[in-house]
Structures are given as structure tokens and as C-alpha cells.
């Protein structure tokens, strides 16, 4: 349902994922894109999901919205390689603000 919408934002999300190593990233999405994708159906547009080593935690309890985003991320080889080595928190609020937080523990040296 939302695959084509996420594909539209993929180039920007790709950049923000890489930048998330240094600091949390925000992306304001267009509500119109998502509302059109639903075809008038009532859909919950908020989510809070954790990607650990490229896999969605509690995927059976996640909405189509986040599952489609993860599907698109896994289709891109560069992103897939990056996220399989990271822990990423993805959230979206009612204002269609996507937050990307890299929660990967820093590597201890010494």
C-alpha cells in the first residue's frame, strides 16, 4: 500500500540513515502522499519501530506502513548492508515527522 510512497523518499532516507550515526535525524513527510495511498481508508499513520541488524523487531505487531518502509530499505543493497550492522529506531508522529535514531552501541576500543 505504501511502497511507492516510501520509494519516493528513499534517496533522502538513505542519506539520513548514514547521518544518524552522528546524531538523530528528522524528515518531514507530505501527508497528502500517505492519504492518497490509503484510498480513503482510515489508517494509523504513527509508528515506533526498532530495526536490529536489519530486521524489524516485533514485526507481527507492526503496521503495513512500517513494514513497507522496511521492505524498501531492504531492497536497496547499500542500505541493507548498512542497517544489518546497526540498530535503528524509526518513529513517525501524527504530523508526518519521521525520526531516525541510531541506537547502536559504540564500539569499545582498548
Amino acid at each position: 500500500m505504501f511502497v511507492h510512497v516510501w520509494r519516493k523518499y528513499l534517496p533522502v532516507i538513505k542519506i539520513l540513515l548514514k547521518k544518524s550515526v552522528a546524531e538523530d535525524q528528522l524528515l518531514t513527510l507530505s501527508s497528502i502522499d500517505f492519504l492518497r495511498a490509503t484510498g480513503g481508508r482510515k489508517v494509523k499513520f504513527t509508528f515506533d519501530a526498532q530495526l536490529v541488524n536489519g530486521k524489524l523487531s516485533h514485526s507481527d505487531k507492526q503496521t503495513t506502513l512500517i513494514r513497507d518502509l522496511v521492505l524498501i530499505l531492504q531492497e536497496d543493497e547499500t542500505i541493507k548492508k548498512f542497517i544489518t550492522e546497526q540498530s535503528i529506531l524509526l518513529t513517525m508522529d501524527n504530523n508526518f515527522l519521521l525520526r531516525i535514531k541510531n541506537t547502536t552501541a559504540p564500539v569499545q576500543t582498548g
Side-chain angles (χ1 to χ4, degrees):
M1 180 184 314
F2 298 104
V3 170
H4 68 283
V5 177
W6 289 123
R7 275 202 182 105
K8 174 182 174 179
Y9 291 103
L10 186 62
V12 177
I13 293 172
K14 186 177 195 175
I15 293 166
L16 296 179
L17 278 167
K18 291 178 182 178
K19 287 183 171 184
S20 72
V21 172
E23 62 185 358
D24 297 355
Q25 300 296 310
L26 300 173
L27 175 62
T28 303
L29 306 167
S30 170
S31 61
I32 294 168
D33 291 337
F34 291 93
L35 293 170
R36 284 183 184 155
T38 64
R41 286 174 271 176
K42 294 239 181 212
V43 175
K44 180 181 171 188
F45 291 108
T46 61
F47 60 79
D48 187 3
Q50 183 77 35
L51 275 175
V52 179
N53 299 327
K55 296 190 175 152
L56 187 60
S57 297
H58 308 294
S59 60
D60 56 324
K61 297 178 183 177
Q62 297 295 345
T63 64
T64 303
L65 185 63
I66 186 63
R67 286 195 309 259
D68 285 355
L69 173 56
V70 172
L71 176 72
I72 294 305
L73 294 177
Q74 292 172 337
E75 285 179 356
D76 183 286
E77 287 302 316
T78 307
I79 296 173
K80 184 176 181 177
K81 185 175 186 219
F82 177 79
I83 64 176
T84 56
E85 301 168 353
Q86 305 293 317
S87 181
I88 309 285
L89 178 63
L90 300 167
T91 60
M92 190 162 90
D93 63 20
N94 287 323
N95 296 319
F96 295 88
L97 183 64
L98 178 67
R99 296 175 192 273
I100 302 170
K101 180 176 184 164
N102 191 316
T103 58
T104 306
V107 177
Q108 299 293 325
T109 57

